[in-house]
Amino acid sequence: MYKRQLTASIIASLGNNPVVAILGPRQIGKTTLALEIAKRQPSVYLDLENPSDLQKLNNFADFFDFHADKLVIIDEIQRSPDLFMPLRGVIDTRRREGRGNGRFLVLGSASNDLLRQTSESLAGRIHYAELPGLNLFEIEQPANEPLRRLWLRGGFPNSYSAADDTASYTWRQDFIRTYLERDIPQLGPRISAATLMRFWTMLAHTHGEQFNASRLANSLGVKSVTVSRYLDLMIDLLLLRKLEPFYRNTKKRLVKSPRVYVRDSGVLHTLLQIPDYNALLGHPSIGKSWEGFVVETIINALPIGAFPFYYRTSAGAEIDLLIEFGLNNFWAVEIKANQTPKVQKGFHVACEDLKVRNKFIVYTGNEKFFSDNKTTILSLSHFIDVLRAFH
């Protein structure tokens, strides 16, 4: 059991909203978190993949009346979108009667699909919270060994806490196979598991690079629009992240294609057939792997109102992660997978282009120090501390 940092936020949101939705891929810990919250108050749990639980909601109004004094937790809510309209009726009745908020906690594995379903019927009644994988502050103290294990194995609790690297690697192989063969078909898309596996693996090999739909389409033997549909599906399932380029208010010629990352570093390493830390150290993708791990960790820690981008000009000036906190308030983050990080001139040129306020290099070491050009070199955990202190 890991103490998830999202717990307090969800409990607070239940006090302010009739419905709170926890979004996240399967096996990320949504159910465990929901059941932990359930221990704090009278609750009833329903899993819509369980036929007997699904049958209990045939008469939703009667079921809720019977459990009116409880928190109702509904798992895999996207499997029964027809529940949203009667849920709205119950919520509105309670509001008219002045009976308060916080009666429904719903869990979903497909973010855009769930957002679309709820936006039509639960607008103004629901708060969304995305549960990412385990982070540095939810595991042991983020010294080298736990950090390396988290980077290698990823943030799925069962993968991180496995008995050894072999067990973790096997769990992730099973996770990928189950997603492709069972979970995705249940959501509706009729795409062969073999095709999606090839697509996912190709993206792992181009992890952190600009998305090129035409090149991937040629390799898969499909149309570019089909590849874009595959990408949207995997993003919706919270398995991939699309990092948009920053190209506003500048006269430079900029790269405008998004970068795509496999969100979980452990899944990335499995797709790349990297079973342990020694293999990772010798792999040509180690730099991009560390970059994706850092980008995902930082994005999950960003405060409300902060927006992530990358920046690259056609001349090669580049910022791995550009964080916009407001008008003309930028932080630039360069990411290096070594103990003696050196920054190319293009990073400083890009920072000058945008007049960034703070420049950082996040590296794999533990120290925090300063280099030339007013750049702070620090560990990932130190950077998160700086970010939290700023807000």
Side-chain angles (χ1 to χ4, degrees), residues 97-131:
E97 295 173 352
R99 297 167 65 188
N101 290 317
R103 304 319 305 168
F104 293 95
L105 182 61
V106 301
L107 318 179
S109 300
S111 61
N112 289 339
D113 197 31
L114 185 60
L115 289 170
R116 182 174 59 255
Q117 293 166 357
T118 56
S119 64
E120 299 174 358
S121 53
L122 295 179
R125 302 166 179 84
I126 186 168
H127 170 77
Y128 302 95
E130 182 181 323
L131 181 66

PDB file of all heavy atoms in Angstrom, residues 97-131:
ATOM      1  N   GLU A  97     -33.169  19.393  -2.562  1.00  0.00           N
ATOM      2  CA  GLU A  97     -33.530  19.099  -1.175  1.00  0.00           C
ATOM      3  C   GLU A  97     -32.480  19.594  -0.195  1.00  0.00           C
ATOM      4  O   GLU A  97     -32.627  19.417   1.020  1.00  0.00           O
ATOM      5  CB  GLU A  97     -33.720  17.587  -1.008  1.00  0.00           C
ATOM      6  CG  GLU A  97     -34.907  17.038  -1.814  1.00  0.00           C
ATOM      7  CD  GLU A  97     -34.965  15.524  -1.777  1.00  0.00           C
ATOM      8  OE1 GLU A  97     -34.008  14.900  -1.250  1.00  0.00           O
ATOM      9  OE2 GLU A  97     -35.958  14.958  -2.270  1.00  0.00           O
ATOM     10  N   GLY A  98     -31.380  20.182  -0.725  1.00  0.00           N
ATOM     11  CA  GLY A  98     -30.327  20.704   0.136  1.00  0.00           C
ATOM     12  C   GLY A  98     -29.574  19.640   0.899  1.00  0.00           C
ATOM     13  O   GLY A  98     -29.164  19.844   2.046  1.00  0.00           O
ATOM     14  N   ARG A  99     -29.357  18.482   0.275  1.00  0.00           N
ATOM     15  CA  ARG A  99     -28.750  17.350   0.971  1.00  0.00           C
ATOM     16  C   ARG A  99     -27.264  17.191   0.679  1.00  0.00           C
ATOM     17  O   ARG A  99     -26.664  16.170   0.999  1.00  0.00           O
ATOM     18  CB  ARG A  99     -29.497  16.066   0.601  1.00  0.00           C
ATOM     19  CG  ARG A  99     -30.952  16.094   1.064  1.00  0.00           C
ATOM     20  CD  ARG A  99     -31.766  14.992   0.438  1.00  0.00           C
ATOM     21  NE  ARG A  99     -31.320  13.670   0.868  1.00  0.00           N
ATOM     22  CZ  ARG A  99     -31.775  12.546   0.336  1.00  0.00           C
ATOM     23  NH1 ARG A  99     -32.678  12.592  -0.646  1.00  0.00           N
ATOM     24  NH2 ARG A  99     -31.333  11.382   0.771  1.00  0.00           N
ATOM     25  N   GLY A 100     -26.625  18.204   0.064  1.00  0.00           N
ATOM     26  CA  GLY A 100     -25.169  18.233  -0.011  1.00  0.00           C
ATOM     27  C   GLY A 100     -24.559  17.492  -1.164  1.00  0.00           C
ATOM     28  O   GLY A 100     -25.232  16.993  -2.071  1.00  0.00           O
ATOM     29  N   ASN A 101     -23.221  17.428  -1.143  1.00  0.00           N
ATOM     30  CA  ASN A 101     -22.418  16.874  -2.223  1.00  0.00           C
ATOM     31  C   ASN A 101     -21.724  15.583  -1.794  1.00  0.00           C
ATOM     32  O   ASN A 101     -21.946  15.056  -0.707  1.00  0.00           O
ATOM     33  CB  ASN A 101     -21.351  17.891  -2.651  1.00  0.00           C
ATOM     34  CG  ASN A 101     -21.942  19.077  -3.356  1.00  0.00           C
ATOM     35  OD1 ASN A 101     -22.817  18.934  -4.191  1.00  0.00           O
ATOM     36  ND2 ASN A 101     -21.470  20.266  -3.022  1.00  0.00           N
ATOM     37  N   GLY A 102     -20.867  15.108  -2.684  1.00  0.00           N
ATOM     38  CA  GLY A 102     -19.936  14.048  -2.352  1.00  0.00           C
ATOM     39  C   GLY A 102     -20.521  12.666  -2.197  1.00  0.00           C
ATOM     40  O   GLY A 102     -20.071  11.887  -1.365  1.00  0.00           O
ATOM     41  N   ARG A 103     -21.496  12.288  -3.026  1.00  0.00           N
ATOM     42  CA  ARG A 103     -22.109  10.977  -2.868  1.00  0.00           C
ATOM     43  C   ARG A 103     -21.622   9.964  -3.899  1.00  0.00           C
ATOM     44  O   ARG A 103     -21.929   8.782  -3.783  1.00  0.00           O
ATOM     45  CB  ARG A 103     -23.638  11.085  -2.962  1.00  0.00           C
ATOM     46  CG  ARG A 103     -24.269  12.050  -1.988  1.00  0.00           C
ATOM     47  CD  ARG A 103     -23.671  12.013  -0.602  1.00  0.00           C
ATOM     48  NE  ARG A 103     -23.680  10.681   0.010  1.00  0.00           N
ATOM     49  CZ  ARG A 103     -23.017  10.363   1.094  1.00  0.00           C
ATOM     50  NH1 ARG A 103     -22.243  11.261   1.677  1.00  0.00           N
ATOM     51  NH2 ARG A 103     -23.080   9.150   1.589  1.00  0.00           N
ATOM     52  N   PHE A 104     -20.898  10.399  -4.936  1.00  0.00           N
ATOM     53  CA  PHE A 104     -20.474   9.476  -5.981  1.00  0.00           C
ATOM     54  C   PHE A 104     -18.985   9.648  -6.271  1.00  0.00           C
ATOM     55  O   PHE A 104     -18.506  10.760  -6.489  1.00  0.00           O
ATOM     56  CB  PHE A 104     -21.264   9.698  -7.273  1.00  0.00           C
ATOM     57  CG  PHE A 104     -22.715   9.350  -7.152  1.00  0.00           C
ATOM     58  CD1 PHE A 104     -23.653  10.329  -6.854  1.00  0.00           C
ATOM     59  CD2 PHE A 104     -23.152   8.048  -7.322  1.00  0.00           C
ATOM     60  CE1 PHE A 104     -24.990  10.023  -6.734  1.00  0.00           C
ATOM     61  CE2 PHE A 104     -24.484   7.726  -7.201  1.00  0.00           C
ATOM     62  CZ  PHE A 104     -25.412   8.719  -6.906  1.00  0.00           C
ATOM     63  N   LEU A 105     -18.286   8.520  -6.286  1.00  0.00           N
ATOM     64  CA  LEU A 105     -16.891   8.468  -6.708  1.00  0.00           C
ATOM     65  C   LEU A 105     -16.831   7.450  -7.841  1.00  0.00           C
ATOM     66  O   LEU A 105     -17.084   6.259  -7.632  1.00  0.00           O
ATOM     67  CB  LEU A 105     -15.996   8.038  -5.539  1.00  0.00           C
ATOM     68  CG  LEU A 105     -14.485   7.978  -5.811  1.00  0.00           C
ATOM     69  CD1 LEU A 105     -13.941   9.346  -6.209  1.00  0.00           C
ATOM     70  CD2 LEU A 105     -13.753   7.456  -4.575  1.00  0.00           C
ATOM     71  N   VAL A 106     -16.542   7.918  -9.060  1.00  0.00           N
ATOM     72  CA  VAL A 106     -16.544   7.041 -10.222  1.00  0.00           C
ATOM     73  C   VAL A 106     -15.121   6.897 -10.745  1.00  0.00           C
ATOM     74  O   VAL A 106     -14.317   7.834 -10.688  1.00  0.00           O
ATOM     75  CB  VAL A 106     -17.494   7.551 -11.325  1.00  0.00           C
ATOM     76  CG1 VAL A 106     -18.917   7.659 -10.791  1.00  0.00           C
ATOM     77  CG2 VAL A 106     -17.038   8.892 -11.879  1.00  0.00           C
ATOM     78  N   LEU A 107     -14.814   5.715 -11.263  1.00  0.00           N
ATOM     79  CA  LEU A 107     -13.473   5.395 -11.744  1.00  0.00           C
ATOM     80  C   LEU A 107     -13.541   5.025 -13.214  1.00  0.00           C
ATOM     81  O   LEU A 107     -14.419   4.248 -13.617  1.00  0.00           O
ATOM     82  CB  LEU A 107     -12.869   4.240 -10.948  1.00  0.00           C
ATOM     83  CG  LEU A 107     -13.076   4.244  -9.423  1.00  0.00           C
ATOM     84  CD1 LEU A 107     -12.432   3.010  -8.803  1.00  0.00           C
ATOM     85  CD2 LEU A 107     -12.524   5.508  -8.802  1.00  0.00           C
ATOM     86  N   GLY A 108     -12.619   5.554 -14.006  1.00  0.00           N
ATOM     87  CA  GLY A 108     -12.637   5.279 -15.438  1.00  0.00           C
ATOM     88  C   GLY A 108     -11.250   5.126 -16.014  1.00  0.00           C
ATOM     89  O   GLY A 108     -10.295   5.745 -15.547  1.00  0.00           O
ATOM     90  N   SER A 109     -11.146   4.291 -17.055  1.00  0.00           N
ATOM     91  CA  SER A 109      -9.852   3.994 -17.657  1.00  0.00           C
ATOM     92  C   SER A 109      -9.632   4.704 -18.984  1.00  0.00           C
ATOM     93  O   SER A 109      -8.543   4.614 -19.547  1.00  0.00           O
ATOM     94  CB  SER A 109      -9.724   2.478 -17.895  1.00  0.00           C
ATOM     95  OG  SER A 109      -9.821   1.775 -16.685  1.00  0.00           O
ATOM     96  N   ALA A 110     -10.624   5.371 -19.509  1.00  0.00           N
ATOM     97  CA  ALA A 110     -10.486   6.054 -20.791  1.00  0.00           C
ATOM     98  C   ALA A 110     -10.892   7.505 -20.612  1.00  0.00           C
ATOM     99  O   ALA A 110     -12.063   7.803 -20.434  1.00  0.00           O
ATOM    100  CB  ALA A 110     -11.351   5.383 -21.858  1.00  0.00           C
ATOM    101  N   SER A 111      -9.942   8.412 -20.651  1.00  0.00           N
ATOM    102  CA  SER A 111     -10.200   9.780 -20.234  1.00  0.00           C
ATOM    103  C   SER A 111     -11.105  10.547 -21.188  1.00  0.00           C
ATOM    104  O   SER A 111     -12.128  11.075 -20.790  1.00  0.00           O
ATOM    105  CB  SER A 111      -8.873  10.533 -20.066  1.00  0.00           C
ATOM    106  OG  SER A 111      -8.174  10.584 -21.290  1.00  0.00           O
ATOM    107  N   ASN A 112     -10.737  10.629 -22.476  1.00  0.00           N
ATOM    108  CA  ASN A 112     -11.525  11.429 -23.405  1.00  0.00           C
ATOM    109  C   ASN A 112     -12.926  10.871 -23.580  1.00  0.00           C
ATOM    110  O   ASN A 112     -13.902  11.610 -23.700  1.00  0.00           O
ATOM    111  CB  ASN A 112     -10.819  11.510 -24.765  1.00  0.00           C
ATOM    112  CG  ASN A 112      -9.577  12.368 -24.714  1.00  0.00           C
ATOM    113  OD1 ASN A 112      -9.435  13.197 -23.827  1.00  0.00           O
ATOM    114  ND2 ASN A 112      -8.663  12.155 -25.639  1.00  0.00           N
ATOM    115  N   ASP A 113     -13.025   9.537 -23.614  1.00  0.00           N
ATOM    116  CA  ASP A 113     -14.329   8.902 -23.752  1.00  0.00           C
ATOM    117  C   ASP A 113     -15.217   9.253 -22.568  1.00  0.00           C
ATOM    118  O   ASP A 113     -16.386   9.616 -22.725  1.00  0.00           O
ATOM    119  CB  ASP A 113     -14.133   7.391 -23.857  1.00  0.00           C
ATOM    120  CG  ASP A 113     -15.353   6.677 -24.400  1.00  0.00           C
ATOM    121  OD1 ASP A 113     -16.076   7.282 -25.204  1.00  0.00           O
ATOM    122  OD2 ASP A 113     -15.580   5.519 -24.019  1.00  0.00           O
ATOM    123  N   LEU A 114     -14.655   9.170 -21.374  1.00  0.00           N
ATOM    124  CA  LEU A 114     -15.433   9.491 -20.177  1.00  0.00           C
ATOM    125  C   LEU A 114     -15.768  10.970 -20.117  1.00  0.00           C
ATOM    126  O   LEU A 114     -16.892  11.352 -19.760  1.00  0.00           O
ATOM    127  CB  LEU A 114     -14.644   9.074 -18.937  1.00  0.00           C
ATOM    128  CG  LEU A 114     -15.353   9.234 -17.584  1.00  0.00           C
ATOM    129  CD1 LEU A 114     -16.623   8.400 -17.556  1.00  0.00           C
ATOM    130  CD2 LEU A 114     -14.435   8.835 -16.446  1.00  0.00           C
ATOM    131  N   LEU A 115     -14.823  11.828 -20.506  1.00  0.00           N
ATOM    132  CA  LEU A 115     -15.089  13.262 -20.522  1.00  0.00           C
ATOM    133  C   LEU A 115     -16.222  13.602 -21.478  1.00  0.00           C
ATOM    134  O   LEU A 115     -17.085  14.422 -21.182  1.00  0.00           O
ATOM    135  CB  LEU A 115     -13.818  14.022 -20.917  1.00  0.00           C
ATOM    136  CG  LEU A 115     -12.692  14.046 -19.887  1.00  0.00           C
ATOM    137  CD1 LEU A 115     -11.430  14.612 -20.510  1.00  0.00           C
ATOM    138  CD2 LEU A 115     -13.089  14.877 -18.678  1.00  0.00           C
ATOM    139  N   ARG A 116     -16.215  12.949 -22.628  1.00  0.00           N
ATOM    140  CA  ARG A 116     -17.259  13.222 -23.609  1.00  0.00           C
ATOM    141  C   ARG A 116     -18.619  12.774 -23.092  1.00  0.00           C
ATOM    142  O   ARG A 116     -19.631  13.459 -23.251  1.00  0.00           O
ATOM    143  CB  ARG A 116     -16.926  12.511 -24.930  1.00  0.00           C
ATOM    144  CG  ARG A 116     -17.927  12.776 -26.045  1.00  0.00           C
ATOM    145  CD  ARG A 116     -17.463  12.170 -27.350  1.00  0.00           C
ATOM    146  NE  ARG A 116     -17.260  10.734 -27.264  1.00  0.00           N
ATOM    147  CZ  ARG A 116     -16.061  10.145 -27.216  1.00  0.00           C
ATOM    148  NH1 ARG A 116     -14.962  10.875 -27.234  1.00  0.00           N
ATOM    149  NH2 ARG A 116     -15.974   8.833 -27.147  1.00  0.00           N
ATOM    150  N   GLN A 117     -18.658  11.598 -22.481  1.00  0.00           N
ATOM    151  CA  GLN A 117     -19.919  11.068 -21.968  1.00  0.00           C
ATOM    152  C   GLN A 117     -20.485  11.933 -20.842  1.00  0.00           C
ATOM    153  O   GLN A 117     -21.689  12.163 -20.766  1.00  0.00           O
ATOM    154  CB  GLN A 117     -19.711   9.635 -21.483  1.00  0.00           C
ATOM    155  CG  GLN A 117     -19.398   8.644 -22.583  1.00  0.00           C
ATOM    156  CD  GLN A 117     -18.863   7.333 -22.037  1.00  0.00           C
ATOM    157  OE1 GLN A 117     -18.680   7.178 -20.838  1.00  0.00           O
ATOM    158  NE2 GLN A 117     -18.589   6.388 -22.920  1.00  0.00           N
ATOM    159  N   THR A 118     -19.612  12.403 -19.959  1.00  0.00           N
ATOM    160  CA  THR A 118     -20.089  13.149 -18.796  1.00  0.00           C
ATOM    161  C   THR A 118     -20.342  14.616 -19.096  1.00  0.00           C
ATOM    162  O   THR A 118     -21.146  15.255 -18.413  1.00  0.00           O
ATOM    163  CB  THR A 118     -19.079  13.045 -17.640  1.00  0.00           C
ATOM    164  OG1 THR A 118     -17.801  13.512 -18.093  1.00  0.00           O
ATOM    165  CG2 THR A 118     -18.966  11.623 -17.152  1.00  0.00           C
ATOM    166  N   SER A 119     -19.671  15.170 -20.111  1.00  0.00           N
ATOM    167  CA  SER A 119     -19.831  16.591 -20.394  1.00  0.00           C
ATOM    168  C   SER A 119     -21.256  16.917 -20.824  1.00  0.00           C
ATOM    169  O   SER A 119     -21.734  18.031 -20.617  1.00  0.00           O
ATOM    170  CB  SER A 119     -18.840  17.025 -21.487  1.00  0.00           C
ATOM    171  OG  SER A 119     -19.122  16.358 -22.706  1.00  0.00           O
ATOM    172  N   GLU A 120     -21.934  15.951 -21.397  1.00  0.00           N
ATOM    173  CA  GLU A 120     -23.296  16.185 -21.876  1.00  0.00           C
ATOM    174  C   GLU A 120     -24.328  16.113 -20.746  1.00  0.00           C
ATOM    175  O   GLU A 120     -25.361  16.770 -20.807  1.00  0.00           O
ATOM    176  CB  GLU A 120     -23.648  15.161 -22.962  1.00  0.00           C
ATOM    177  CG  GLU A 120     -22.737  15.246 -24.192  1.00  0.00           C
ATOM    178  CD  GLU A 120     -23.014  14.144 -25.183  1.00  0.00           C
ATOM    179  OE1 GLU A 120     -23.886  13.290 -24.881  1.00  0.00           O
ATOM    180  OE2 GLU A 120     -22.366  14.120 -26.246  1.00  0.00           O
ATOM    181  N   SER A 121     -24.068  15.299 -19.733  1.00  0.00           N
ATOM    182  CA  SER A 121     -25.087  15.071 -18.711  1.00  0.00           C
ATOM    183  C   SER A 121     -24.692  15.537 -17.319  1.00  0.00           C
ATOM    184  O   SER A 121     -25.572  15.792 -16.492  1.00  0.00           O
ATOM    185  CB  SER A 121     -25.429  13.567 -18.657  1.00  0.00           C
ATOM    186  OG  SER A 121     -24.260  12.802 -18.502  1.00  0.00           O
ATOM    187  N   LEU A 122     -23.383  15.663 -17.050  1.00  0.00           N
ATOM    188  CA  LEU A 122     -22.952  16.001 -15.695  1.00  0.00           C
ATOM    189  C   LEU A 122     -22.165  17.303 -15.634  1.00  0.00           C
ATOM    190  O   LEU A 122     -21.428  17.539 -14.676  1.00  0.00           O
ATOM    191  CB  LEU A 122     -22.100  14.868 -15.115  1.00  0.00           C
ATOM    192  CG  LEU A 122     -22.818  13.536 -14.893  1.00  0.00           C
ATOM    193  CD1 LEU A 122     -21.855  12.495 -14.351  1.00  0.00           C
ATOM    194  CD2 LEU A 122     -24.008  13.705 -13.949  1.00  0.00           C
ATOM    195  N   ALA A 123     -22.326  18.148 -16.635  1.00  0.00           N
ATOM    196  CA  ALA A 123     -21.611  19.423 -16.638  1.00  0.00           C
ATOM    197  C   ALA A 123     -21.957  20.222 -15.386  1.00  0.00           C
ATOM    198  O   ALA A 123     -23.125  20.348 -15.005  1.00  0.00           O
ATOM    199  CB  ALA A 123     -21.972  20.230 -17.887  1.00  0.00           C
ATOM    200  N   GLY A 124     -20.940  20.739 -14.719  1.00  0.00           N
ATOM    201  CA  GLY A 124     -21.154  21.509 -13.500  1.00  0.00           C
ATOM    202  C   GLY A 124     -21.396  20.672 -12.266  1.00  0.00           C
ATOM    203  O   GLY A 124     -21.604  21.216 -11.175  1.00  0.00           O
ATOM    204  N   ARG A 125     -21.353  19.344 -12.429  1.00  0.00           N
ATOM    205  CA  ARG A 125     -21.640  18.457 -11.298  1.00  0.00           C
ATOM    206  C   ARG A 125     -20.481  17.511 -10.986  1.00  0.00           C
ATOM    207  O   ARG A 125     -20.570  16.738 -10.036  1.00  0.00           O
ATOM    208  CB  ARG A 125     -22.894  17.621 -11.589  1.00  0.00           C
ATOM    209  CG  ARG A 125     -24.141  18.451 -11.888  1.00  0.00           C
ATOM    210  CD  ARG A 125     -25.238  17.570 -12.491  1.00  0.00           C
ATOM    211  NE  ARG A 125     -26.455  18.308 -12.767  1.00  0.00           N
ATOM    212  CZ  ARG A 125     -26.655  19.014 -13.873  1.00  0.00           C
ATOM    213  NH1 ARG A 125     -25.700  19.079 -14.805  1.00  0.00           N
ATOM    214  NH2 ARG A 125     -27.793  19.646 -14.056  1.00  0.00           N
ATOM    215  N   ILE A 126     -19.435  17.539 -11.803  1.00  0.00           N
ATOM    216  CA  ILE A 126     -18.384  16.530 -11.687  1.00  0.00           C
ATOM    217  C   ILE A 126     -17.009  17.182 -11.698  1.00  0.00           C
ATOM    218  O   ILE A 126     -16.766  18.160 -12.411  1.00  0.00           O
ATOM    219  CB  ILE A 126     -18.508  15.496 -12.838  1.00  0.00           C
ATOM    220  CG1 ILE A 126     -17.503  14.344 -12.648  1.00  0.00           C
ATOM    221  CG2 ILE A 126     -18.340  16.152 -14.202  1.00  0.00           C
ATOM    222  CD1 ILE A 126     -17.762  13.166 -13.579  1.00  0.00           C
ATOM    223  N   HIS A 127     -16.114  16.621 -10.872  1.00  0.00           N
ATOM    224  CA  HIS A 127     -14.714  17.050 -10.842  1.00  0.00           C
ATOM    225  C   HIS A 127     -13.843  15.872 -11.276  1.00  0.00           C
ATOM    226  O   HIS A 127     -14.075  14.733 -10.853  1.00  0.00           O
ATOM    227  CB  HIS A 127     -14.318  17.481  -9.432  1.00  0.00           C
ATOM    228  CG  HIS A 127     -12.835  17.719  -9.266  1.00  0.00           C
ATOM    229  ND1 HIS A 127     -12.218  18.855  -9.738  1.00  0.00           N
ATOM    230  CD2 HIS A 127     -11.859  16.945  -8.699  1.00  0.00           C
ATOM    231  CE1 HIS A 127     -10.920  18.781  -9.459  1.00  0.00           C
ATOM    232  NE2 HIS A 127     -10.684  17.645  -8.834  1.00  0.00           N
ATOM    233  N   TYR A 128     -12.844  16.146 -12.124  1.00  0.00           N
ATOM    234  CA  TYR A 128     -11.981  15.090 -12.651  1.00  0.00           C
ATOM    235  C   TYR A 128     -10.616  15.142 -11.974  1.00  0.00           C
ATOM    236  O   TYR A 128     -10.032  16.213 -11.801  1.00  0.00           O
ATOM    237  CB  TYR A 128     -11.796  15.245 -14.162  1.00  0.00           C
ATOM    238  CG  TYR A 128     -13.083  15.231 -14.940  1.00  0.00           C
ATOM    239  CD1 TYR A 128     -13.722  16.418 -15.289  1.00  0.00           C
ATOM    240  CD2 TYR A 128     -13.671  14.037 -15.330  1.00  0.00           C
ATOM    241  CE1 TYR A 128     -14.907  16.418 -15.999  1.00  0.00           C
ATOM    242  CE2 TYR A 128     -14.864  14.026 -16.041  1.00  0.00           C
ATOM    243  CZ  TYR A 128     -15.476  15.211 -16.372  1.00  0.00           C
ATOM    244  OH  TYR A 128     -16.646  15.207 -17.069  1.00  0.00           O
ATOM    245  N   ALA A 129     -10.098  13.980 -11.633  1.00  0.00           N
ATOM    246  CA  ALA A 129      -8.761  13.875 -11.050  1.00  0.00           C
ATOM    247  C   ALA A 129      -8.047  12.718 -11.739  1.00  0.00           C
ATOM    248  O   ALA A 129      -8.551  11.588 -11.726  1.00  0.00           O
ATOM    249  CB  ALA A 129      -8.839  13.635  -9.544  1.00  0.00           C
ATOM    250  N   GLU A 130      -6.893  13.000 -12.337  1.00  0.00           N
ATOM    251  CA  GLU A 130      -6.137  11.943 -12.998  1.00  0.00           C
ATOM    252  C   GLU A 130      -5.115  11.362 -12.027  1.00  0.00           C
ATOM    253  O   GLU A 130      -4.323  12.087 -11.428  1.00  0.00           O
ATOM    254  CB  GLU A 130      -5.422  12.477 -14.234  1.00  0.00           C
ATOM    255  CG  GLU A 130      -4.662  11.392 -14.984  1.00  0.00           C
ATOM    256  CD  GLU A 130      -3.923  11.904 -16.202  1.00  0.00           C
ATOM    257  OE1 GLU A 130      -4.472  12.800 -16.888  1.00  0.00           O
ATOM    258  OE2 GLU A 130      -2.800  11.430 -16.466  1.00  0.00           O
ATOM    259  N   LEU A 131      -5.126  10.041 -11.891  1.00  0.00           N
ATOM    260  CA  LEU A 131      -4.176   9.348 -11.026  1.00  0.00           C
ATOM    261  C   LEU A 131      -3.013   8.845 -11.880  1.00  0.00           C
ATOM    262  O   LEU A 131      -3.179   7.907 -12.660  1.00  0.00           O
ATOM    263  CB  LEU A 131      -4.849   8.175 -10.308  1.00  0.00           C
ATOM    264  CG  LEU A 131      -3.959   7.381  -9.353  1.00  0.00           C
ATOM    265  CD1 LEU A 131      -3.532   8.251  -8.173  1.00  0.00           C
ATOM    266  CD2 LEU A 131      -4.668   6.123  -8.857  1.00  0.00           C
TER     267      LEU A 131
END
